[in-house]
């Protein structure tokens, strides 16, 4: 939503907004001249809404939220975030949607760095904060990059010229009748695009149909990484294009998952005619997105790393990456995101967490949901067994202070407020 607000203000619209909580992005929007209200300024938020011509709302909002209900009762023109984003795409010559259960933000940011390296006019709508671009960048209307989120089937609201599908895993299943419905939605997204690129190594992507593909293990991938080498979880590899060596790439972002993001970027950009060396340089210029294996700092010799991983497969991948760079003991602190996800994927979460040594589970970040014991972090911890459970920051901090020693690594995982909890503990430990 904050990236859309930046797009609007850049194009001369008067914008205001509301969020229940303040944060870094709200401060940025205010510096850009956007009035953003919070729970401390509810009356001003209502007055601003009264004077608004259009209300754009996130699909994650609860129907009984006071501002949403007020807008409905006031007969305001209302547009969902997905529909609004779909309308914006029409203002660009080429539109690109990056989809998948994992990796959308990183791949979108990686593509943006290639377009910058190629010096073409583009705008990028990124779901996280790229260290160079933030979550929005714009210098023209030839290309538009955006994440295509499957939550509530929002990807079907985006008529993209090009589509990328990185992977498909059971997630947001409260919005789908079953896994077949989820796969069908991604397939519709691909078919609605002029061209689509899918991961040949992903079993569910293989069910989408015949589209140009990328992969590592599947030898029939149109774009394939071979001769992989890793140094501190930073990979280098040769990109093959239809079986022929194209160029060598050295990633500056950690994790094997970024090999797939790079291959997806290659397959897309080559379809637009970009030079392979130009693409490689752009990919190599990309270093990180905040909260994607971000080293936050050190305190008393202990390394603090935070990652957005909140799905069982993401957890396994991120822990493996951490194990590849950690020299001392690795301590993992995981915060589940929403009760419904934890409940729907309880078995998968237990399977991915039960073999992690030095595991702590922190209370659920509920987001838009109400308490559900069957999907709570405490229930998850009980099912995993052999791990610690914390409900308060002071308890977590005390455990860290007593346990982690110089040379050890703390890995904080989750899509909720665990990042800010880690940040707070780090600052207190540094003082």
């Amino acid at each position: 939503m904050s990236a859309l607000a930046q797009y609007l203000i850049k194009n001369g619209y008067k914008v205001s907004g509301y969020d229940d909580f303040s944060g870094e992005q709200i401060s940025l929007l205010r510096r850009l001249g956007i009035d953003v209200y919070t729970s401390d300024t509810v009356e001003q938020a209502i007055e601003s809404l009264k004077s608004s011509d259009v209300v754009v709302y996130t699909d994650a909002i609860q129907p009984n939220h006071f501002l949403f209900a007020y807008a409905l009762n006031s007969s305001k023109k209302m547009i969902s975030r997905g529909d609004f984003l779909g309308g914006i795409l029409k203002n660009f010559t080429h539109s690109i949607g990056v989809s998948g259960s994992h990796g959308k933000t990183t791949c979108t940011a990686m593509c943006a760095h290639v377009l910058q390296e190629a010096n073409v006019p583009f705008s990028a709508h990124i779901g996280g904060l790229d260290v160079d671009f933030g979550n929005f960048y714009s210098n023209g209307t030839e290309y538009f990059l955006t994440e295509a989120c499957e939550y509530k089937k929002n990807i079907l609201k985006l008529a993209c010229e090009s589509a990328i599908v990185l992977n498909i895993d059971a997630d947001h299943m409260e919005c789908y009748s079953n896994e077949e419905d989820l796969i069908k939605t991604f397939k519709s997204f691909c078919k609605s695009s002029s061209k689509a690129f899918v991961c040949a190594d992903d079993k569910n992507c293989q069910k989408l149909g015949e589209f140009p593909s990328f992969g590592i293990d599947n030898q029939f991938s149109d774009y394939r990484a071979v001769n992989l080498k890793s140094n501190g979880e930073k990979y280098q590899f040769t990109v093959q294009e239809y079986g022929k060596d194209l160029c060598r790439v050295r990633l500056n972002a950690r994790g094997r998952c970024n090999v797939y993001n790079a291959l997806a970027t290659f397959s897309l950009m080559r379809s637009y005619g970009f030079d392979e060396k130009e693409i490689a340089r752009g990919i190599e210029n990309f270093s990180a997105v905040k909260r994607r294996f971000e080293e936050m700092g050190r305190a008393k010799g202990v390394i603090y790393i935070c990652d957005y991983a909140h799905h069982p497969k993401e957890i396994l991948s991120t822990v493996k990456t951490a194990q590849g760079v950690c020299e001392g003991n690795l301590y993992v602190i995981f915060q589940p995101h929403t009760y419904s996800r934890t409940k729907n994927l309880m078995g998968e979460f237990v399977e991915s967490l039960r073999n992690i040594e030095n595991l702590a589970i922190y209370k659920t970040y509920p987001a838009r949901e109400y308490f559900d014991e069957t999907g709570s972090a405490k229930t998850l911890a009980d099912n995993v067994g052999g791990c610690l459970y914390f409900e308060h920051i002071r308890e977590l901090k005390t455990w860290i202070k007593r346990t982690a020693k110089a040379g050890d690594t703390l890995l904080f995982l989750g899509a909720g407020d665990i990042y800010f909890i880690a940040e707070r503990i780090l600052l207190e430990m540094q003082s």
Side-chain angles (χ1 to χ4, degrees), residues 123-184:
S123 296
H125 175 257
I126 305 170
L129 297 175
D130 179 271
V131 295
D132 295 312
F133 298 132
N135 68 341
F136 177 74
Y137 175 84
S138 180
N139 73 345
T141 60
E142 186 173 350
Y143 291 88
F144 186 80
L145 285 167
T146 185
E147 291 186 29
C149 181
E150 74 275 19
Y151 178 63
K152 290 191 176 180
K153 301 188 179 183
N154 271 320
I155 55 176
L156 300 184
K157 297 178 179 179
L158 307 180
C160 297
E161 177 183 67
S162 298
I164 289 174
V165 184
L166 296 166
N167 40 63
I168 305 173
D169 278 315
D171 200 8
H172 299 302
M173 293 311 293
E174 72 277 15
C175 307
Y176 294 89
S177 55
N178 49 41
E179 193 172 83
E180 183 181 349
D181 185 27
L182 176 68
I183 296 170
K184 182 180 177 182

Side-chain angles (χ1 to χ4, degrees), residues 268-416:
L268 171 79
M269 294 303 172
R270 288 292 285 171
S271 77
Y272 284 109
F274 289 100
D275 178 75
E276 65 271 18
K277 293 182 180 178
E278 205 167 45
I279 300 170
R281 286 196 302 270
I283 289 173
E284 291 169 357
N285 288 340
F286 169 76
S287 58
V289 175
K290 290 194 71 173
R291 295 188 71 167
R292 273 65 175 182
F293 211 80
E294 175 189 353
E295 184 173 327
M296 305 174 70
R298 303 187 181 209
K300 298 178 174 59
V302 178
I303 303 168
Y304 287 63
I305 295 175
C306 195
D307 193 273
Y308 203 69
H310 56 284
H311 184 278
K313 285 196 175 180
E314 294 171 343
I315 292 170
L316 286 173
S317 175
T318 306
V319 170
K320 184 178 180 181
T321 298
Q323 290 169 338
V325 299
C326 179
E327 295 183 358
N329 293 316
L330 175 66
Y331 296 92
V332 179
I333 302 97
F334 170 59
Q335 180 190 48
H337 185 269
T338 72
Y339 300 107
S340 61
R341 177 182 284 112
T342 308
K343 181 178 180 179
N344 291 334
L345 301 176
M346 181 64 73
E348 290 90 336
F349 273 117
V350 171
E351 189 64 27
S352 66
L353 295 170
R354 68 177 2 148
N355 293 320
I356 297 176
E357 296 182 9
N358 307 319
L359 171 67
I361 295 178
Y362 193 76
K363 68 178 178 181
T364 301
Y365 184 80
R368 54 198 170 266
E369 297 180 349
Y370 298 108
F371 178 76
D372 181 351
E373 185 177 0
T374 59
S376 69
K378 181 63 169 63
T379 299
L380 174 61
D382 290 342
N383 288 340
V384 171
C387 66
L388 297 173
Y389 172 74
F390 296 109
E391 285 200 355
H392 303 287
I393 297 176
R394 64 178 181 274
E395 297 172 344
L396 179 59
K397 180 186 174 184
T398 299
W399 173 68
I400 289 172
K401 192 172 184 179
R402 290 175 177 173
T403 307
K405 309 299 181 185
D408 293 342
T409 298
L410 295 170
L411 176 63
F412 295 84
L413 301 176

